[in-house]
Amino acid sequence: MRETANQFAAEGWDVTVVTITEESWIRDSGLDHTLSESVDKRIRVVELPLSRVDLETDIRLFSEERALDPGKWLQGYRAEALQNFPEPVFGAWRGAMEQAALDLHRERPADLVLASCVPYVQLAAVRRLWDEHRVPYAVDFRDGWSLDVIDGVEAFPKDSEAGRWELDLLEHAQSLWVVNDQIADFYRARYPEHADRIHVVRNGYDRDSVPQPSPRPDEASSLVFGHLGTVSFSVPLLESVLAAWRTARGREPLLADARFEVRGHIGAGANREANRHIEVLRAAAEDGVVVGGPVPKAEVASVYAAWDALVLVIIGGPYMTSGKVYEYMAAGLPIVSMHAADHDASRLLEGHPLWTGPRGLDEEQLADAFCEAARMAVEASPEQRAAARDHGTTYARDSLMSAAVQRLSSLVLGQRPALSGGPGA
């Protein structure tokens, strides 16, 4: 989303970003201001005083009903949200988001609105602007709405309330962005009459998030494997990965004293580092597993530079990609895949010279993959490492987003008269 806004500003748009307050971001997922520092200074940021009440942890602020029966209170909270919009967590935000959109348009009329889902309640705001002022809009769905990308099934039928919202929005949207070809195919099959509006805009990687090419600093030093990303996958999957690591350390001499560093948030919301995942990770310390905590965006490249191989753990299957796979490819290091063999990440990694291949989730196969990656880490030639980096360079985020923004800008501005002072988004 940062790169999207920056690219619109680079194209000459007067950009306003509508978001929530810092306190709300911290409560939900954390906040990394090294990302904020690289936002184009011309971009105006408007923070709405919205927050997820269900994530409140101060019991002194609870109602009597919530304190006495939190489960029943949560059911009521979600049911009330659904009365506003078909989204149980964020539906209650609809009124405030619609009013903010109307107020901003009144102050500085917009020529284009782009909704970056999730939450999907943003769609109500862009539709309100269309209904009342015919402001063109586009939707950046990323993983889509009516598709469950994890299980690969329909999330809701076309005749449901959410289905009617989605179809209604697509009928007037300038463009719909999704992250991979499989999701695009799903939407084109679901809405063939709008197939030409559906475009693949992949996540990509930031150029400053990958390290500069360099040999291992000390050929005699212990190998270090690393996983970077929020640990939100299941505990059984985590246990399988760690079991495979333990087996590999006993099988491959190069791994006998190796470390496996896990960096990133362990869970989300109030459960960060207060969950079963952190217990499982800490219990594996005797196997060389180290939990290092989250990494500011500005330090990501230096973290990769300190590792010898990368461990890619992702849920889902053919409809799921990931954001990290692009960084991993461009880092030029051996990659161990810990995900279903039939996965979009496998499609991207096909041909990567330092990838151990799609082994599925069998622990024995995963252990062999760890062993193979260890050998790659010490034996890979400079030419192989360069080829590995080259495999990922076509997915640089600034290039991907620049092309998408230019295409959308041309589409919208080609339908409007010449604008003075720069278009507003």
Side-chain angles (χ1 to χ4, degrees):
M1 289 185 285
R2 176 199 57 170
E3 189 63 41
T4 303
N6 281 349
Q7 290 296 336
F8 271 108
E11 285 293 308
W13 288 79
D14 174 10
V15 181
T16 298
V17 171
V18 181
T19 183
I20 55 178
T21 64
E22 288 192 8
E23 180 182 354
S24 297
W25 277 113
I26 292 170
R27 176 185 291 186
D28 190 305
S29 60
L31 195 63
D32 179 2
H33 274 302
T34 65
L35 278 166
S36 309
E37 291 164 2
S38 54
V39 172
D40 192 299
K41 304 308 180 193
R42 295 169 292 183
I43 294 173
R44 176 191 179 194
V45 179
V46 175
E47 297 182 352
L48 302 184
L50 296 169
S51 63
R52 285 187 57 183
V53 180
D54 59 314
L55 294 182
E56 178 59 67
T57 58
D58 187 346
I59 61 173
R60 295 170 297 182
L61 302 177
F62 285 12
S63 65
E64 181 178 2
E65 177 191 5
R66 183 176 185 180
L68 292 174
D69 193 339
K72 182 180 179 181
W73 174 88
L74 184 59
Q75 288 180 346
Y77 171 79
R78 291 178 174 174
E80 185 177 348
L82 285 170
Q83 293 177 6
N84 294 283
F85 186 82
E87 190 172 27
V89 177
F90 301 100
W93 291 7
R94 177 181 175 179
M97 297 200 75
E98 287 184 349
Q99 190 58 54
L102 293 170
D103 291 344
L104 288 168
H105 180 68
R106 189 177 302 111
E107 174 189 336
R108 175 78 164 91
D111 302 296
L112 171 66
V113 180
L114 176 66
S116 292
C117 305
V118 293
Y120 301 106
V121 71
Q122 296 176 66
L123 302 173
V126 301
R127 186 52 201 260
R128 182 75 178 271
L129 282 176
W130 171 260
D131 287 342
E132 295 195 12
H133 301 286
R134 286 298 187 261
V135 178
Y137 65 88
V139 179
D140 184 2
F141 258 152
R142 297 290 83 198
D143 286 338
W145 191 14
S146 57
L147 172 66
D148 181 335
V149 295
I150 297 175
D151 294 327
V153 297
E154 180 186 63
F156 49 77
K158 293 178 69 174
D159 60 355
S160 65
E161 183 182 4
R164 290 190 292 271
W165 264 97
E166 186 175 76
L167 175 58
D168 191 52
L169 282 151
L170 262 178
E171 284 181 340
H172 301 288
Q174 298 289 319
S175 185
L176 174 72
W177 294 353
V178 294
V179 296
N180 62 40
D181 295 301
Q182 292 74 250
I183 299 175
D185 289 343
F186 169 87
Y187 271 104
R188 288 167 184 152
R190 187 177 178 89
Y191 306 108
E193 67 276 26
H194 304 308
D196 60 333
R197 302 180 187 181
I198 298 164
H199 303 283
V200 175
V201 180
R202 287 188 171 270
N203 284 319
Y205 73 95
D206 295 314
R207 296 181 192 271
D208 57 3
S209 292
V210 296
Q212 293 298 313
S214 63
R216 291 193 68 214
D218 182 358
E219 297 297 331
S221 61
S222 301
L223 291 175
V224 182
F225 282 58
H227 173 273
L228 176 59
T230 299
V231 176
S232 57
F233 40 85
S234 70
V235 170
L237 175 54
L238 175 60
E239 290 174 332
S240 293
V241 171
L242 296 179
W245 170 254
R246 185 183 309 113
T247 299
R249 291 183 89 227
R251 182 178 297 170
E252 171 55 62
L254 290 169
L255 293 174
D257 58 351
R259 294 198 316 277
F260 180 8
E261 296 186 0
V262 178
R263 301 298 306 270
H265 290 292
I266 313 297
N271 291 325
R272 285 198 299 271
E273 298 199 16
N275 49 45
R276 177 62 179 154
H277 294 80
I278 194 70
E279 295 173 1
V280 171
L281 286 166
R282 287 172 176 164
E286 62 182 18
D287 298 319
V289 177
V290 179
V291 181
V295 180
K297 185 70 172 179
E299 299 175 15
V300 167
S302 62
V303 169
Y304 286 136
W307 290 344
D308 299 297
L310 304 174
V311 182
L312 183 64
V313 188
I314 322 171
I315 59 176
Y319 292 102
M320 194 77 171
T321 307
S322 106
K324 284 299 170 188
V325 66
Y326 301 100
E327 282 182 2
Y328 275 33
M329 290 192 298
L333 297 172
I335 300 173
V336 183
S337 277
M338 302 277 163
H339 52 71
D342 185 13
H343 198 286
D344 189 53
S346 297
R347 292 173 173 81
L348 288 170
L349 286 162
E350 187 65 39
H352 189 285
L354 298 180
W355 180 42
T356 60
R359 305 297 181 95
L361 297 174
D362 178 77
E363 288 183 14
E364 278 296 312
Q365 291 289 321
L366 297 182
D368 287 342
F370 273 124
C371 296
E372 183 179 346
R375 293 188 289 271
M376 286 180 176
V378 299
E379 297 172 2
S381 67
E383 291 76 19
Q384 287 176 308
R385 293 181 183 276
R389 287 190 298 274
D390 290 343
H391 184 88
T393 53
T394 56
Y395 297 103
R397 180 173 287 140
D398 54 350
S399 297
L400 296 177
M401 293 313 307
S402 175
V405 166
Q406 288 178 18
R407 182 172 59 238
L408 182 56
S409 295
S410 298
L411 179 65
V412 174
L413 297 181
Q415 300 173 2
R416 299 178 66 87
L419 301 166
S420 60

